[in-house]
Amino acid sequence: MTGKIRKATRHVNQNEGLIFEKSSPGKAAWKLPPLDVPEVDAGNLLGASERKDLGHMPEVSEIEIIRHFTRLSTWNYAIDLGMYPLGSCTMKYNPRVNEVVARLEGIANGHPYQPERASQGALRIMKTLSECLIEITGMDAITLQPAAGAHGELTGLLMVRAHHESRNSPRKKILIPDSAHGTNPATAAMVGYAVENLKSNSRGMVEVSALEAQMNEDVAALMLTNPNTLGVFEQEIHKIADILHAKGGLLYMDGANMNALVGKVRPGDFGVDLMHLNLHKTFSTPHGGGGPGSGPVAIRKFLEPFLPRPVLTTKSDGTLGFDYDRAQSVGRVRSFYGNFGMFVRALAYIMANGPDGLRQTTEDAVLNANYIRKGLEGTYDLPYSTPSMHEVIFSDRVQAKRGVKTMDVAKRLIDYGFHPYTTAFPLIVPGALMIEPTESESKEEMDLFIEAMKSIAEEAENDLQTVLSAPHSTRVSRLDETAAARKPVLRWKPEGS
Amino acid sequence: MRYLPKSPADREAILKVIGARSIDDLFAPIPEEYRLKRDLKVPRQMAESEIVEWFRERSRENGDGLCSFLGAGAYLHYRPVIIDALISRGEFLTAYTPYQAEISQGTLQAIFEFQTMICELLEELERMVTPKTACVLIQSPNFFGTIEDVAAIAEIAHRKNVLLVVSIAEAVSLGIVEPPRQADIVAMEAQSFGVPPSFGGPFCGIIATREQFVRQMPGRLAGQTVDREGRRGFVLTLATREQHIRREKATSNICTNQALVALMVNIFMTTYGKVGLRELAKQNLAKAAYAAQQFGKHVKVLFPGSPRFNEFVIATSEDPYAINGRMLGNKIVGGLPLKKFYPEFGNASLWCCTELTTRTAIDTAVGFVAESERSIRSAKEESVEEVAG
Ligand SMILES: Cc1ncc(COP(=O)(O)O)c(C=O)c1O
């Protein structure tokens, strides 16, 4: 097996139980300094509210904690270990300097309510990042409050709703292409809109005539991802915008795929009214095993009155501050000002790149996706031959004939030392393999990936069982998800309880 | 650009393989009229050393070195160094949401342990109820630092057949304050557990509920299961609530959440554990009690009868913004003036002391407030004398 698997070999993989199984009374990993004020009697101060017992909270030493989490960490795959081609997620390198600057004393320990006079550093970071993102998107204003992409969508649609209501024309529907990510329809529903599906054409783009037929005064907005989830640029984007605008609708862009556009084209220039960005994708803030993220929403001027409160402003004396007095605001969408720590990292990334670096990054991301497309075309089915931007979508049509589905190929890819691609969507491609290499991959790493994918396709022909029972090199394999959901065990309990 | 792993020759070679003449060919799908033909107006490409220096300057402009009495939802506690040592491991830092369970067991087991510890801290939510339609929402300790009588409120809520939702903003309080075990749902902010205030985020919001409501709960959940060999392992579970399965019918629309922050909280809870969390909470209690007592010699401390944890409200005669302004000159950030949120509170301000607040800082702050009271009093006396004279 190891002969054909060039990237991965074995490494020590230690067993490790739950932390509770290591706990015993009297062990400790903490030490407090002596109190410099008089001791208090908690019972006296708190009365009936005093807590006496902390149940099964662990008692362990520091070395055990270090080993516990270090061992757990070795069970994870990560960008730091290699290519992580999860389509739509933009798993790029997370620069270490970002982490260093986010931990500087005044930045990490800045309190959100400290006087504005003593907050000029944080406000300057927010202001500079806002200006960069406005320039990159070609929009007029921005809110940094939303915590992630889905939350950005929610914030955006709240502003869409406020806009229509302010014109006494509340509308009922949001149009969403059938290729969209699940958060788009879920968000529209949560804001109280009906979702109307928009069919893609044979080139994988919005069918303009269908949009024309479906567009009317009941439509509040179209939520469009561009490049869309097939990695295809919506070439008729301006016609799309015109059709919406003619009937008073707005064009919302899901900016999850901005890594294909930064420095090359600006959504504000092609008719987008509002859009969110994912700082944890395009702007390199780490995914951290599922967050934290940050999902700023950039808007055109006419939506400014509806921005979440407070809005960053420059005062007459040149200092920065917050404006809370915003009568038409959709209100707060997040405590304080959003995920500030992510703003720091995203800005550090933009500074490390500059205009030339950002452009080169985008070009390399598109170059890489096309290299992989070229390498695997012919081996895997390419359902849409339209040119690819930053990601390429294959299907398992060829392999499925042998009973090998996209998830089987994905699981086998793990044995070759890669993280799988995205399998869950777009729904218009049955059995999708959604591959986004990002700019962070060298030619050598991509060659290994292509080789691995081709080798799996061969195995699907000659060594079926190896693929169907993969992965073989992991601690656990093919966990029973059905059982997990049927009778959920969501916490550890001591034996006998 | 130093993050990009390709030489010009690599790029040429790749273009050749693809069959493109130049990189522009690959951007041909973008209509010509929209293509940006100039540089973006963003800062020029900077060296790492320049970036660090730029942010150092921002750090200095941002209260670096100040001693603060602010709480009100963001708390400065000591962060054990092992938190950053561990979360900086690339395997945690640079992994995605654990969709592929086989190569995400580290993250998944950590989430499972996190879920367990939060349940232990909140204790089994004890009552079984039938689904109801309305709810009562309270925070304890509340915004003024006062601990609510959750049991009494629960009794009323449940008699009226409504759900009780309790929110907790200061997690460290759970070390010594009874958890709201009568609540149906607890919404809690765990920032206090090892997460830097970071000018307001990212933090770690948590929702905990009785088992019967779990299928209505938003967000990612890790569940225990077995693999095909019967080995214990963990997966993301109850996905039928979620947007990627149910689209517009989803009851959970959370994709990226706060996983790495939850890991910080997890390591913090593990470090202090069963005994340390109580001792830590006790120090907070002692510092705030001392401070309230010292302030009480000069000004009124509001809500004197109610128990409190590490925050309290004082009412000064002078505008707290003015007193705070003078204190800032001495590198102290005073309590939060409440008139911004509650105009009816006049000159009241909310003060917070944690285990990091020194007695010296408390005494200095009390000195400023005492001085303010003295000068107001003597100004009054003078004007009385003037009238008399
Ligand atoms: C196209 C698209 N839209 C929206 C989202 C949601 O973003 P987030 O995870 O930041 O909420 C994603 C994330 O995977 C996405 O790929």
Side-chain angles (χ1 to χ4, degrees):
Chain A
M1 187 169 102
T2 41
K4 66 188 171 197
I5 297 178
R6 289 212 288 146
K7 179 160 177 267
T9 57
R10 284 169 193 283
H11 73 116
V12 183
N13 203 317
Q14 307 198 36
N15 292 322
E16 180 68 6
L18 292 165
I19 195 78
F20 312 102
E21 297 160 353
K22 292 180 184 302
S23 172
S24 56
K27 288 199 281 188
W30 58 276
K31 165 92 187 131
L32 289 162
L35 255 186
D36 59 359
V37 297
E39 292 269 0
V40 289
D41 179 338
N44 267 351
L45 289 178
L46 299 173
S49 300
E50 189 201 1
R51 177 178 208 163
K52 303 257 165 51
D53 182 55
L54 272 85
H56 298 286
M57 293 302 279
E59 292 176 81
V60 288
S61 63
E62 187 167 315
I63 176 67
E64 288 170 292
I65 300 173
I66 289 284
R67 286 206 181 134
H68 178 68
F69 288 102
T70 302
R71 286 176 187 166
L72 292 192
S73 78
T74 64
W75 303 348
N76 276 358
Y77 190 83
I79 306 170
D80 283 2
L81 287 167
M83 184 168 164
Y84 209 125
L86 263 185
S88 209
C89 301
T90 315
M91 298 299 284
K92 62 169 67 187
Y93 170 55
N94 305 140
R96 285 310 198 272
V97 67
N98 297 2
E99 299 304 313
V100 169
V101 294
R103 284 172 173 78
L104 294 171
E105 188 74 15
I107 289 173
N109 286 347
H111 190 285
Y113 286 146
Q114 69 197 26
E116 279 176 2
R117 185 145 63 95
S119 302
Q120 290 300 304
L123 296 176
R124 179 59 57 197
I125 289 166
M126 291 175 70
K127 176 80 176 154
T128 310
L129 176 66
S130 297
E131 285 168 355
C132 291
L133 297 179
I134 287 169
E135 163 70 0
I136 286 167
T137 55
M139 308 297 279
D140 300 319
I142 198 163
T143 174
L144 302 177
Q145 261 186 46
H151 194 208
E153 293 169 28
L154 182 85
T155 307
L157 289 199
L158 288 174
M159 294 172 73
V160 167
R161 192 174 72 184
H163 160 78
H164 288 303
E165 280 171 359
S166 78
R167 296 157 51 105
N168 286 321
S169 120
R171 296 173 175 221
K172 296 197 188 67
K173 280 192 297 200
I174 300 285
L175 297 181
I176 299 179
D178 48 12
S179 57
H181 189 264
T183 50
N184 294 183
T187 300
M190 284 187 177
V191 178
Y193 284 113
V195 173
E196 191 169 300
N197 207 30
L198 195 59
K199 266 180 109 69
S200 307
N201 64 22
S202 61
R203 305 186 63 215
M205 301 185 204
V206 168
E207 179 60 53
V208 172
S209 60
L211 173 64
E212 215 149 16
Q214 279 174 259
M215 183 61 203
N216 57 41
E217 261 93 29
D218 249 0
V219 174
L222 164 67
M223 289 180 96
L224 189 69
T225 310
N226 195 21
N228 65 28
T229 61
L230 295 167
V232 168
F233 190 86
E234 294 281 353
Q235 285 174 14
E236 299 191 287
I237 185 74
H238 219 276
K239 271 194 212 147
I240 294 171
D242 288 346
I243 293 169
L244 281 158
H245 293 155
K247 297 236 163 98
L250 303 186
L251 178 55
Y252 181 99
M253 186 173 123
D254 178 332
N257 293 340
M258 267 308 276
N259 213 39
L261 306 183
V262 175
K264 302 296 281 187
V265 58
R266 309 189 312 160
D269 295 338
F270 57 65
V272 168
D273 297 303
L274 72 168
M275 64 177 293
H276 78 259
L277 294 162
N278 299 60
L279 300 188
H280 48 295
K281 296 181 180 174
T282 318
F283 297 95
S284 86
T285 78
H287 272 88
S294 178
V297 177
I299 57 165
R300 285 181 51 209
K301 189 102 194 141
F302 68 92
L303 290 170
E304 238 183 313
F306 312 112
L307 281 173
R309 192 170 31 220
V311 173
L312 191 61
T313 55
T314 307
K315 298 185 175 171
S316 51
D317 64 356
T319 62
L320 297 167
F322 285 116
D323 178 11
Y324 286 83
D325 188 17
R326 314 272 307 179
Q328 285 185 282
S329 165
V330 296
R332 261 186 191 291
V333 296
R334 181 86 178 148
S335 57
F336 307 119
Y337 324 115
N339 283 349
F340 176 78
M342 301 299 115
F343 310 159
V344 175
R345 292 167 173 88
L347 182 57
Y349 169 83
I350 291 171
M351 288 173 161
N353 275 283
D356 44 342
L358 290 175
R359 192 190 311 113
Q360 183 74 66
T361 293
T362 304
E363 291 177 357
D364 280 5
V366 173
L367 191 69
N368 282 1
N370 280 282
Y371 185 60
I372 285 174
R373 171 172 165 157
K374 190 75 185 177
L376 294 178
E377 223 173 345
T379 306
Y380 291 89
D381 172 59
L382 190 69
Y384 293 90
S385 59
T386 321
S388 298
M389 299 292 293
H390 67 300
E391 64 192 354
V392 56
I393 285 75
F394 293 101
S395 93
D396 63 11
R397 204 169 59 95
V398 179
Q399 291 70 29
K401 286 185 194 135
R402 301 270 301 149
V404 172
K405 303 281 181 48
T406 178
M407 190 57 93
D408 299 314
V409 178
K411 295 290 186 201
R412 182 64 178 141
L413 198 48
I414 292 171
D415 289 331
Y416 282 81
F418 291 94
H419 193 281
Y421 44 75
T422 293
T423 56
F425 83 118
L427 300 184
I428 56 170
V429 177
L433 289 69
M434 189 193 224
I435 303 172
E436 180 182 11
T438 84
E439 71 281 5
S440 302
E441 299 315 323
S442 66
K443 185 168 174 299
E444 295 74 28
E445 184 82 3
M446 289 193 293
D447 286 336
L448 288 172
F449 176 77
I450 291 166
E451 191 181 294
M453 289 293 288
K454 283 184 162 165
S455 173
I456 296 169
E458 251 176 61
E459 288 172 345
E461 293 298 322
N462 309 323
D463 192 3
L464 196 58
Q465 276 318 310
T466 302
V467 182
L468 293 180
S469 54
H472 303 279
S473 55
T474 47
R475 297 182 50 72
V476 287
S477 183
R478 303 251 177 169
L479 290 141
D480 190 343
E481 297 189 6
T482 319
R486 202 182 309 122
K487 215 173 162 299
V489 178
L490 303 175
R491 54 157 301 179
W492 168 86
K493 283 191 179 145
E495 254 169 67
S497 75
Chain B
M1 204 285 126
R2 66 182 188 276
Y3 301 155
L4 299 174
K6 267 188 225 60
S7 68
D10 289 337
R11 292 191 179 100
E12 282 308 313
I14 292 178
L15 279 173
K16 214 171 196 172
V17 172
I18 295 170
R21 276 158 312 174
S22 77
I23 190 72
D24 291 339
D25 283 7
L26 299 182
F27 287 87
I30 300 174
E32 169 78 27
E33 71 241 63
Y34 306 127
R35 277 183 240 157
L36 194 66
K37 294 179 189 82
R38 59 166 177 84
D39 276 356
L40 284 169
K41 296 188 194 94
V42 297
R44 68 162 170 83
Q45 196 175 123
M46 289 159 70
E48 186 176 294
S49 54
E50 292 178 295
I51 295 171
V52 172
E53 191 43 43
W54 192 88
F55 281 98
R56 275 217 178 103
E57 248 165 75
R58 302 291 83 73
S59 170
R60 285 192 284 267
E61 295 164 0
N62 210 58
D64 188 355
L66 296 183
C67 157
S68 166
F69 286 91
L70 291 171
Y75 302 92
L76 186 65
H77 292 283
Y78 182 72
R79 303 180 62 236
V81 298
I82 63 170
I83 294 177
D84 277 351
L86 288 168
I87 68 149
S88 299
R89 284 189 66 90
E91 299 93 327
F92 286 131
L93 187 72
T94 76
Y96 196 68
T97 305
Y99 291 132
Q100 294 289 344
E102 286 94 342
I103 44 172
S104 310
Q105 283 299 303
T107 295
L108 285 161
Q109 182 169 325
I111 298 174
F112 184 79
E113 292 177 351
F114 172 84
Q115 288 171 187
T116 304
M117 279 190 259
I118 294 295
C119 290
E120 283 296 323
L121 270 186
L122 297 174
E123 297 204 10
E124 295 295 307
L125 297 172
E126 75 192 5
R127 232 171 36 93
M128 297 301 280
V129 289
T130 48
K132 294 159 188 166
T133 48
C135 82
V136 175
L137 174 63
I138 59 166
Q139 180 179 323
S140 183
N142 67 23
F143 192 68
F144 308 122
T146 305
I147 296 160
E148 300 279 358
D149 188 347
V150 179
I153 297 167
E155 163 117 23
I156 297 165
H158 292 145
R159 216 181 316 129
K160 303 258 181 220
N161 248 15
V162 297
L163 293 179
L164 177 64
V165 181
V166 179
S167 105
I168 301 169
E170 175 38 302
V172 168
S173 69
L174 284 168
I176 202 146
V177 175
E178 267 288 275
R181 61 181 95 216
Q182 304 85 352
D184 298 289
I185 297 169
V186 175
M188 146 175 178
E189 176 51 65
Q191 176 268 325
S192 281
F193 283 170
V195 183
S198 193
F199 206 58
F203 287 1
C204 180
I206 296 168
I207 298 175
T209 184
R210 301 170 186 290
E211 215 162 312
Q212 80 203 84
F213 298 131
V214 78
R215 283 172 202 272
Q216 279 85 53
M217 189 149 81
R220 308 287 193 190
L221 290 167
Q224 183 178 310
T225 187
V226 289
D227 81 345
R228 60 175 169 211
E229 311 282 331
R231 289 173 292 218
R232 174 169 73 183
F234 304 90
V235 291
L236 287 180
T237 193
L238 300 179
T240 51
R241 303 163 296 125
E242 295 192 77
Q243 46 77 26
H244 62 277
I245 311 273
R246 296 290 296 281
R247 300 178 77 83
E248 64 264 31
K249 295 193 187 65
T251 52
S252 172
N253 190 24
I254 295 172
C255 206
T256 297
N257 56 56
Q258 312 287 323
L260 196 73
V261 192
L263 183 60
M264 294 187 205
V265 171
N266 184 344
I267 298 167
F268 181 95
M269 291 189 291
T270 310
T271 302
Y272 280 98
K274 186 177 167 80
V275 182
L277 283 173
R278 183 182 161 88
E279 291 306 312
L280 174 66
K282 224 173 138 190
Q283 285 212 350
N284 278 254
L285 199 64
K287 299 271 187 171
Y290 172 76
Q293 188 200 20
Q294 295 305 105
F295 276 115
K297 293 178 180 164
H298 309 282
V299 290
K300 209 152 106 189
V301 179
L302 303 188
F303 316 111
S306 319
R308 49 181 170 249
F309 179 58
N310 65 2
E311 287 176 286
F312 56 91
V313 178
I314 65 171
T316 48
S317 306
E318 198 189 353
D319 183 341
Y321 281 108
I323 308 174
N324 283 356
R326 292 194 295 276
M327 259 189 261
L328 196 55
N330 273 46
K331 296 204 158 254
I332 291 178
V333 179
L336 180 70
L338 287 177
K339 61 175 94 180
K340 185 167 157 192
F341 304 94
Y342 302 92
E344 69 276 16
F345 266 65
N347 286 341
S349 54
L350 175 67
W351 291 68
C352 174
C353 297
T354 72
E355 77 283 3
L356 290 176
T357 317
T358 61
R359 180 180 192 145
T360 316
I362 295 171
D363 292 344
T364 311
V366 170
F368 273 96
V369 168
E371 178 58 36
S372 155
E373 293 302 318
R374 257 196 304 280
S375 59
I376 292 225
R377 219 177 312 119
S378 65
K380 263 197 209 139
E381 277 158 17
E382 258 168 46
S383 67
V384 171
E385 269 166 34
E386 266 165 37
V387 172

